[in-house]
Amino acid sequence: MNKIKDILPGFIVCLAIGLIAQQIAKFFPSIGAALFAIGIGMLAGNTFLNKDIFNVGTKFSESRLLEYSIVLTGLTLQLTDIMGIGIQGVAFIALQMILTIAMCYFIGRRLKFTKKFSLLMCAGNAVCGSSAIGTVSPIVEADSKDKGISITIVNVTGTILMVVLPILTSLLYHHETLQTSAMIGGTLQSIGQVIASASLVNQEVVEFATIFKIVRIIFVVVVALTYAKMNLDENQPLFAKKEGVAAKVKAKVPWFVIGFFIFSIINSTGILPAIISTSAKMVSSQFEIIALAAIGMRVKFADLIKEGPKAMLYGCLTGTSQIIFAFILIALLF
């Protein structure tokens, strides 16, 4: 009961922002509710609603509601839709992640960041933002400061790219679904940022970009296993043989990814009435808008200033590299 009381203030605020955004969007249909939800959330979260009482609710709205939304999206898709990204799509994600990790690590070391911090940044940018950093932190034995700073920089980078990518894909691909979805789903840091950015394009891109992102999330297990084999001694090569007991790896595919695939399989059988799929799409859409308001609320301008120019440069260089890699790979594979 106490947990619900903690969640309610932030949730109600995000719900209100989501409803307001949807009403405003009726007058500006070409912009859509997503951008308004994020924008109002950022404005409110950095001014009159910048209160600790909202933190639990906004965190719940950003994470849990998005997870529920992804699971419900499974009821709107069939396995044939998911397989639409093809072998090229999986190859694109694998290569994009490898290149991102390699370049992010190279940039981090050139900027004189530690191995552990650089590896946290690699995981956050290549896989799935904060959750990937949380997964690999115990493996690399990172301290709380490095974890906190890396999460902040990765989220800030993703927030900037979240708005930039729809503009860029419009210029590069005229919002062709596959290429646009690959760029957004294969580049942005968190699942929330992917959905938010894709929402600025159209619903079809939301669905396909989510599929690209889910493939990346599944690869978190591979990244965690690879990290466990790395030598974290600052004076040793990264893959030099380690002495002592090997790190225990605790990494698994998130529950909402499994739920997404289960619901997709059920929907593919054709046994569900159409109203189930329609209702799931409607509820999923509402969860998305509330979550996007929460994402906006949780972007703090003070964090950008606090982390300093060097850390921000790290994020910007990594994000730019990701876009370049994605552009080249999309041209080669699709």
Side-chain angles (χ1 to χ4, degrees):
M1 197 66 181
N2 288 334
K3 189 173 182 180
I4 294 174
K5 287 181 180 179
D6 290 339
I7 290 172
L8 273 178
F11 171 76
I12 291 171
V13 165
C14 294
L15 174 61
I17 292 173
L19 293 173
I20 292 169
Q22 290 178 80
Q23 292 304 310
I24 296 174
K26 291 180 180 178
F27 299 98
F28 305 94
S30 60
I31 298 177
L35 189 57
F36 286 115
I38 296 166
I40 296 171
M42 288 178 67
L43 179 63
N46 283 279
T47 53
F48 63 98
L49 293 182
N50 189 9
K51 313 283 187 185
D52 290 341
I53 192 174
F54 301 122
N55 288 345
V56 177
T58 55
K59 186 175 182 179
F60 168 83
S61 300
E62 178 188 15
S63 57
R64 288 300 181 189
L65 289 187
L66 268 181
E67 292 171 357
Y68 301 150
S69 174
I70 293 164
V71 173
L72 288 173
T73 299
L75 288 174
T76 70
L77 297 172
Q78 297 189 355
L79 289 177
T80 51
D81 298 321
I82 298 172
M83 293 167 64
I85 69 169
I87 297 298
Q88 297 100 315
V90 177
F92 164 75
I93 291 299
L95 291 171
Q96 173 77 351
M97 289 178 65
I98 291 169
L99 290 171
T100 296
I101 289 173
M103 181 56 75
C104 186
Y105 184 77
F106 173 79
I107 293 170
R109 299 299 280 167
R110 286 291 178 180
L111 290 175
K112 307 298 182 185
F113 286 105
T114 66
K115 270 187 180 181
K116 293 181 180 182
F117 182 77
S118 299
L119 289 171
L120 292 181
M121 288 287 289
C122 291
N125 284 288
V127 190
C128 50
S130 304
S131 58
I133 292 172
T135 297
V136 303
S137 287
I139 298 173
V140 300
E141 299 175 351
D143 61 34
S144 58
K145 181 183 176 183
D146 280 353
K147 183 178 177 182
I149 294 175
S150 60
I151 286 174
T152 300
I153 297 304
V154 164
N155 284 334
V156 169
T157 304
T159 301
I160 295 169
L161 294 183
M162 182 175 70
V163 179
V164 170
L165 288 186
I167 300 170
L168 187 62
T169 52
S170 175
L171 296 172
L172 293 175
Y173 309 120
H174 306 290
H175 285 159
E176 285 287 332
T177 299
L178 188 59
Q179 291 91 332
T180 301
S181 301
M183 176 65 80
I184 292 174
T187 302
L188 281 170
Q189 282 70 4
S190 76
I191 186 73
Q193 291 159 356
V194 168
I195 292 173
S197 187
S199 296
L200 302 182
V201 184
N202 58 53
Q203 187 58 36
E204 190 175 13
V205 171
V206 171
E207 293 174 355
F208 271 86
T210 300
I211 294 169
F212 275 102
K213 183 62 179 178
I214 283 174
V215 174
R216 282 171 72 190
I217 294 172
I218 292 171
F219 275 118
V220 72
V221 177
V222 179
V223 173
L225 290 171
T226 304
Y227 272 28
K229 296 181 181 298
M230 291 179 175
N231 190 316
L232 302 174
D233 189 325
E234 290 290 328
N235 301 314
Q236 293 287 328
L238 196 58
F239 285 99
K241 187 176 180 181
K242 296 193 297 183
E243 296 180 2
V245 181
K248 292 183 179 180
V249 181
K250 293 183 179 179
K252 57 184 179 181
V253 178
W255 75 271
F256 58 88
V257 173
I258 297 171
F260 170 86
F261 279 108
I262 290 173
F263 276 9
S264 296
I265 292 169
I266 294 171
N267 192 45
S268 299
T269 63
I271 61 175
L272 296 177
I275 192 172
I276 297 293
S277 181
T278 304
S279 300
K281 193 167 189 175
M282 182 183 69
V283 174
S284 175
S285 176
Q286 291 304 309
F287 281 173
E288 279 178 23
I289 294 296
I290 298 169
L292 298 183
I295 289 172
M297 284 277 291
R298 293 180 65 79
V299 173
K300 302 301 181 185
F301 298 146
D303 290 340
L304 309 187
I305 300 168
K306 184 177 70 176
E307 300 310 338
K310 187 172 151 183
M312 286 306 303
L313 176 63
Y314 192 3
C316 289
L317 289 175
T318 300
T320 302
S321 301
Q322 286 180 281
I323 293 173
I324 294 170
F325 292 147
F327 174 74
I328 294 170
L329 291 173
I330 289 169
L332 292 174
L333 294 172
F334 298 117

